[in-house]
Structures are given as structure tokens and as C-alpha cells.
Amino acid sequence: MVQEIPTIQIIDAKNYVGQTVKIGAWLRQKRGSGKLAFLQLRDGSAFFQAVVVKADISEALFELAKNLKQETSLYVTGEIHEDARSSFGYEMAVSNIEIIGESHDYPITPKEHGTDFLFDERHLYLRHLKPFATLKIRNTLIAATYEFFNNEGFTKLDSPLLTGSAPEGTTDLFETDYFGESAFLSQTGQLYAEAGAMAFGKVFTFGPTFRAEKSKTRRHLTEFWMIEPEMAFMHQEESLVIQERYISFLISKVLEKNEQELDILKRDKDLLQSYTELPYPRVSYDDAIKLLQENGFDVEWGVDFGSPEETFLANHFAKPVFIVNFPKAIKAFYMKRHATREDVVVSADLLAPEGYGEIIGGSERDTDYDYLKQRIEEEGLSLEEYGWYLDLRQYGSVPHAGFGLGLERLVTFVTGEEHIREAIPFPRMTNRLRP
Ligand code: 4AD
């Protein structure tokens, strides 16, 4: 009986040592001599090398291998061997090659290319090592988010992306025509999450979020993905405990599942491991200002932190750090008043070390109808638009708290990437709408 050759993925090569297998792959690079051709292949699961030995195959097949162009898709058949010299550990001794799709002159060559060029070619650049590793880690973070909140008894609540309101301020809205009236692309799912928390107790939203941020920084996208948990019958301190446990869980999952990708990105795994140790420090905004002033920063009580301040604070503690109780004047209208102070609200930002900045913003929410109505008016927002939100304070209002994690900020931090554009498949920034 003729045994069928199994078709496998590269990642599973370790289970087939000594066996002949067939793999569908793309050619990343090739090098060789008159007698040998080394094909660097990828199939979306991993990267490895297939070796073509002239003496072992027909002349025609060797010629074909030698002339393959970068990014040609092919089936390679051959025996799997251990390969102690490569980090992957296995390679293939090729006995046959079938071309599936020829490649033209592929624009991204092994030479150095500028960032603008690579992002103009993002639809192709996705195939390369760094984007592959970064986006695989993003995928782990997404899966682990569902795992964490499902384990904790949260219900996923989908909030609308077309809205009539602007809870995070009116300066960075994308406006669009909605059958003759103005609609905005959602800046946050939070207000809907609050309605959900009153129905399901603990909810989280997870979806795209839009901010027409003019700021061209390495941390800002105009379209990013946010995870927003909201918990009824919960105060801020309990919310902070959930936040740090969540971040620690996510980092542990990446360490467990993405060793290959962390190595590709040369991310320090021991350093990441140190960020799984809890608790994270809690520092009041007041103390943070003092600490900054003592260290030569020209900051006054009342200002929002910029990137240098955030970087200093988190590096000072060498861990993610919560800055708690920000000035009321620089925070959103819904945040809870402090029990004893007029000028601050019960809020917290989680700052990541190594210059990655704010990854979480959150607060306890005020529960009082009259106070929130007054704050909405003070902020110049339309009472009509927020009538439904104020209803939540009329029919069994309870203490509740929540937070928002920016997925791409977290991906940037965990992968050690310099720029947030690397953390999303097709970034949207002030100067980029395509591809
Ligand atoms: O601090 P923000 O604006 O908070 C909210 O939107 C609240 N409604 C969250 C809540 O309490 N449910 O944004 C939360 C997080 C930030 O900490 C940051 O990680 C991310 O969203 N973020 C951005 N990420 C990328 N590009 C931008 N332009 C971002 N703006 C905020």
C-alpha cells in the first residue's frame, strides 16, 4: 500500500522528524551555491529552512529551486531533520517543489527600507518577521482578555460605534452625516458599559474607538481598540486590583505562548516576568507632582502629564504604576467626587515603564443625578443627548467603577516596539488612511 504524504504546518515539524511531509509555504529568501540551495520559508505558523541538494534531485528541479523569486508560493516535499544550528531546530531536505503562485519583483527586499515605505506596503509588510511576531502577540492578548473576563464572570457587551454623544471631550471627534443629523464615531463604549453593568453586573466592551487626535506621537492612533470593563457594586480600590491582575495575567499568557515571537523581537523576558509581580505601586497625583518637581521637572499642580513625566514616573518605580486622584479640571465629567476634596476625582491612570506611557485610564463613576446633570451642563454638553445616561442614576443607582485599556498601547509595551503603528494590522494616523 502506498502511504500518503501528510501535509503539515511548519510549526508541527518537530513531530515528523525522519518522515517525509508536504508543506504549503512562501519563499522569504534564498541563498546557495552551485550544489546547494537554502530556501527560507514561512507558512504563517513559523519560519524554517528547506535545503535543496543538487545531487539528490533532478537537474530541472534544482534549476527551478535556484530561480525561485521572493514570495513565490509553493508546496515543498521532503524529509524533516533536526537542525541544531537554527533557533527553530528543524529543517527539511527537499525532494520535490511545486510552484503554486509565481511572484513578481517583490518590493520589500532584504535591504533596509524606510518606515514610510514599509507602511505604504503594509499589505505585504505583514508577511515579515517583525509584524508577524508583534501581531501574533496582539492575538494572544485578545484571546487572554476574553479568557480573563469570562473566568471572572463578566458579560461581553457590544457598544455602538455610531453615537450622538462625546463623553471624552468634543475636540477630537470624527463627525459624519447620519440621515441629516450629526453622528460621531465612538470615542469610548463606557457610557453604554455603565448601562450594561446595571443589567449584567460585570461587563466589558471591546471594539474600535476613534479619536481625531491631531497629536502626531508614537503613542497615538486615530482608530484604536479599547477594552472597557465596568463593574456594579464596586469601588475604585477593587477596580485597581482587577486591573493589575488583568495586566499580570496578559503578560503571563504572552510569556507562556509567544516565546518564538518574543525572541524574534528580542524582548527581555525576565523584565516582562518582573511586571507580572503584584501589586503595582499606587501614587497620588499630588505625590507624583512633588516627585517630578524634586527631580527637576517644571510642572505645577493641575497640569496633565506629558510623555517625559509619564516616562520618569513609571521608570522611577521600574514597574507599571497607578497615579491616582487626578485634578477634576482635567478629567471627564462622569468621574466620582473625592470624599474629602473638592479639587480631585477618584480616578487612576496606569503608566507603563520603559517610556510606553499610559496604558489604562479609569475611575469610579459618580452616582448622583443632580451632580452629573450639573457637570454635563458645565462641560457644555447637551442634556438631551445624556438623558438616557442620567436615567441610570434615577432607577436604582449603585456604586460602580470601570476602566479602559488601549490594546495597541499594551501591545507596544509587551512587544517592546518603538511605535504604536506596529501594534495594529493597518494603522490609522493623521497622515495615514491607506492601505
Ligand atoms: O483615558 P481614556 O481617554 O479613557 C476613556 O476613554 C474612558 N472612557 C475609559 C473608561 O474608563 N472606560 O482612554 C483609555 C485608554 C488610554 O489609557 C490609552 O491606553 C488608550 O485608551 N488611548 C489611545 N490609544 C491609542 N491612540 C490614542 N489616540 C488613544 N487615546 C487613548
Side-chain angles (χ1 to χ4, degrees):
M1 201 175 83
V2 183
Q3 259 207 323
E4 186 129 333
I5 296 173
T7 302
I8 70 160
Q9 287 199 296
I10 295 175
I11 193 86
D12 296 324
K14 58 180 177 297
N15 304 324
Y16 292 88
V17 175
Q19 291 185 53
T20 296
V21 299
K22 182 171 172 178
I23 294 178
W26 289 264
L27 178 73
R28 295 176 54 225
Q29 280 174 45
K30 78 172 187 279
R31 60 190 175 79
S33 63
K35 294 179 186 152
L36 289 169
F38 297 100
L39 310 180
Q40 309 298 331
L41 301 177
R42 58 168 190 88
D43 72 344
S45 75
F47 303 81
F48 90 150
Q49 170 170 282
V51 186
V52 192
V53 182
K54 189 175 179 181
D56 294 348
I57 56 172
S58 71
E59 185 106 0
L61 198 58
F62 190 71
E63 276 306 301
L64 180 143
K66 258 180 42 187
N67 293 314
L68 286 172
K69 284 189 154 172
Q70 191 184 350
E71 288 307 314
T72 295
S73 52
L74 29 92
Y75 280 119
V76 287
T77 304
E79 199 175 292
I80 301 295
H81 294 265
E82 286 195 33
D83 171 26
R85 288 156 306 172
S86 78
S87 60
F88 182 67
Y90 304 89
E91 65 176 20
M92 176 190 270
V94 175
S95 51
N96 196 21
I97 297 173
E98 297 159 65
I99 291 180
I100 305 167
E102 298 254 18
S103 177
H104 298 268
D105 287 335
Y106 186 71
I108 310 176
T109 58
K111 71 168 196 208
E112 288 270 316
H113 293 285
T115 304
D116 276 343
F117 173 79
L118 291 176
F119 279 85
D120 287 344
E121 303 288 341
R122 183 62 164 175
H123 53 295
L124 301 175
Y125 182 43
L126 285 179
R127 306 173 179 201
H128 291 246
L129 272 175
K130 198 164 86 155
F132 173 86
T134 309
L135 296 176
K136 278 283 191 186
I137 290 174
R138 176 186 170 105
N139 187 56
T140 300
L141 293 169
I142 292 170
T145 289
Y146 281 93
E147 188 181 340
F148 181 84
F149 288 112
N150 285 336
N151 288 345
E152 300 275 329
F154 282 65
T155 299
K156 163 94 193 302
L157 189 94
D158 302 310
S159 57
L161 299 186
L162 286 167
T163 70
S165 62
E168 301 297 331
T170 47
T171 52
D172 59 4
L173 282 171
F174 282 110
E175 192 171 350
T176 179
D177 172 64
Y178 194 74
F179 308 108
E181 65 169 314
S182 269
F184 307 108
L185 297 185
S186 175
Q187 294 173 306
T188 168
Q190 180 196 320
L191 305 195
Y192 300 97
E194 287 188 53
M198 302 303 139
F200 301 93
K202 292 188 279 187
V203 298
F204 71 108
T205 69
F206 182 18
T209 309
F210 304 90
R211 308 248 173 126
E213 306 252 20
K214 297 272 163 24
S215 30
K216 268 195 205 162
T217 78
R218 63 191 181 91
R219 295 183 191 155
H220 286 92
L221 294 166
T222 52
E223 178 181 301
F224 63 97
W225 287 66
M226 186 152 58
I227 295 133
E228 294 188 274
E230 193 72 32
M231 296 83 71
F233 298 104
M234 220 179 255
H235 294 284
Q236 177 71 345
E237 182 48 38
E238 298 160 281
S239 170
L240 296 189
V241 172
I242 292 193
Q243 292 174 43
E244 61 187 1
R245 285 182 42 236
Y246 170 44
I247 298 295
S248 172
F249 180 81
L250 293 179
I251 296 175
S252 301
K253 279 285 165 183
V254 170
L255 284 165
E256 179 192 322
K257 297 201 175 288
N258 295 104
E259 209 187 333
Q260 169 188 238
E261 287 77 20
L262 291 169
D263 286 342
I264 288 172
L265 297 168
K266 300 190 173 61
R267 186 67 169 130
D268 183 337
K269 285 180 280 209
D270 292 334
L271 194 57
L272 279 184
Q273 185 69 47
S274 74
Y275 303 146
T276 65
E277 285 156 26
L278 299 182
Y280 297 152
R282 279 101 164 120
V283 181
S284 71
Y285 173 87
D286 297 354
D287 287 344
I289 288 285
K290 277 189 216 133
L291 190 63
L292 287 165
Q293 287 169 343
E294 284 161 15
N295 285 277
F297 284 83
D298 183 19
V299 287
E300 292 296 327
W301 196 97
V303 299
D304 211 352
F305 297 136
S307 175
E309 290 83 16
E310 289 181 353
T311 300
F312 171 83
L313 288 168
N315 283 349
H316 182 79
F317 296 95
K319 274 196 146 196
V321 52
F322 287 112
I323 309 295
V324 308
N325 299 341
F326 276 83
K328 179 172 150 187
I330 56 169
K331 288 293 179 185
F333 77 88
Y334 48 71
M335 294 193 179
K336 189 177 172 57
R337 288 160 289 174
H338 192 271
T340 56
R341 281 179 58 182
E342 273 285 309
D343 54 347
V344 298
V345 283
V346 185
S347 66
D349 285 357
L350 183 66
L351 309 182
E354 302 175 70
Y356 291 101
E358 181 199 319
I359 53 175
I360 291 183
S363 71
E364 188 163 334
R365 322 305 188 187
D366 212 284
T367 52
D368 186 76
Y369 178 89
D370 292 322
Y371 171 76
L372 284 174
K373 183 163 173 264
Q374 177 204 325
R375 287 289 291 124
I376 287 168
E377 282 172 332
E378 278 171 10
E379 295 287 317
L381 300 169
S382 139
L383 270 183
E384 215 186 332
E385 224 33 271
Y386 290 92
W388 69 267
Y389 181 71
L390 287 170
D391 265 0
L392 304 176
R393 275 62 177 176
Q394 301 251 62
Y395 304 106
S397 193
V398 299
H400 62 291
F403 61 94
L405 169 80
L407 177 64
E408 292 76 17
R409 294 264 180 102
L410 181 75
V411 171
T412 315
F413 167 49
V414 173
T415 58
E417 287 291 343
E418 272 287 300
H419 200 293
I420 196 163
R421 68 181 157 233
E422 309 280 351
I424 185 162
F426 294 96
R428 294 290 174 257
M429 297 177 293
T430 48
N431 59 349
R432 186 166 290 286
L433 182 61
R434 302 179 180 83

